[in-house]
């Protein structure tokens, strides 16, 4: 069983983020992840972060990044966040808002490929 630290202080913020998803997050959720073959949670607190989407079965974090993430400071923070999450044995995949909204089929293809060839976590 994979243990992921849960920060209860983030619960209300995560709930608010679920109610106010970005257009790209809404599109990915409604047209792909809501009907994903494995259960996917939206705005899930893990450690001191709230990840956009989390699939426990695949140990997968899916992040949808807006313009804010393009700055060099944000990229450093995102890299550190990814490193920490990967330290828990999670795979982190990032898409930009533009990828989700303009290349939606390609984004879904990438995600469905993970279902067809799931990672082996038995090691």
């Amino acid at each position: 069983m994979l243990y992921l630290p849960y920060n209860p202080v983030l619960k209300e913020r995560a709930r608010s983020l679920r109610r106010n998803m970005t257009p790209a997050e809404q599109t990915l959720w409604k047209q792909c992840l809501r009907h994903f073959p494995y259960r996917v949670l939206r705005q899930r607190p893990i450690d001191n972060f709230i990840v956009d989407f989390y699939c426990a079965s695949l140990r997968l974090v899916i992040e949808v990044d807006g313009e804010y993430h393009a700055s060099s400071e944000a990229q450093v923070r995102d890299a550190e966040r990814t490193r920490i999450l990967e330290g828990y044995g999670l795979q982190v995949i990032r898409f930009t808002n533009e990828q989700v909204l303009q290349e939606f089929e390609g984004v879904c293809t990438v995600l469905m490929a993970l279902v067809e060839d799931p990672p082996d976590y038995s090691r």
Side-chain angles (χ1 to χ4, degrees):
M1 182 76 175
L2 179 68
Y3 169 75
L4 295 175
Y6 177 80
N7 184 343
V9 172
L10 298 176
K11 182 178 180 178
E12 285 305 314
R13 177 75 177 133
R15 186 175 288 157
S16 173
L17 290 170
R18 280 193 294 276
R19 286 192 296 262
N20 299 293
M21 290 192 300
T22 67
E25 290 170 343
Q26 286 180 13
T27 297
L28 189 59
W29 172 249
K30 290 179 180 178
Q31 297 181 31
C32 182
L33 296 177
R34 182 189 291 178
H35 308 291
F36 203 62
Y38 297 101
R39 183 174 184 216
V40 175
L41 302 173
R42 298 177 292 150
Q43 306 300 338
R44 176 72 176 160
I46 298 175
D47 198 343
N48 291 313
F49 310 112
I50 299 174
V51 301
D52 293 333
F53 300 100
Y54 173 62
C55 178
S57 297
L58 296 175
R59 296 185 188 176
L60 176 66
V61 170
I62 304 163
E63 295 281 48
V64 180
D65 296 338
E67 289 179 27
Y68 161 80
H69 294 269
S71 75
S72 58
E73 298 86 15
Q75 289 178 1
V76 169
R77 282 192 299 275
D78 287 346
E80 177 66 8
R81 174 182 170 122
T82 296
R83 186 191 63 73
I84 291 169
L85 293 170
E86 287 175 344
Y88 292 119
L90 302 174
Q91 177 182 4
V92 179
I93 295 182
R94 292 185 174 279
F95 299 105
T96 64
N97 285 345
E98 291 74 24
Q99 286 175 304
V100 172
L101 296 173
Q102 297 171 12
E103 304 167 27
F104 183 74
E105 292 300 320
V107 168
C108 291
T109 299
V110 168
L111 295 172
M112 291 309 292
L114 294 171
V115 172
E116 295 166 9
D117 188 22
D120 178 13
Y121 294 112
S122 61
R123 9 185 177 108

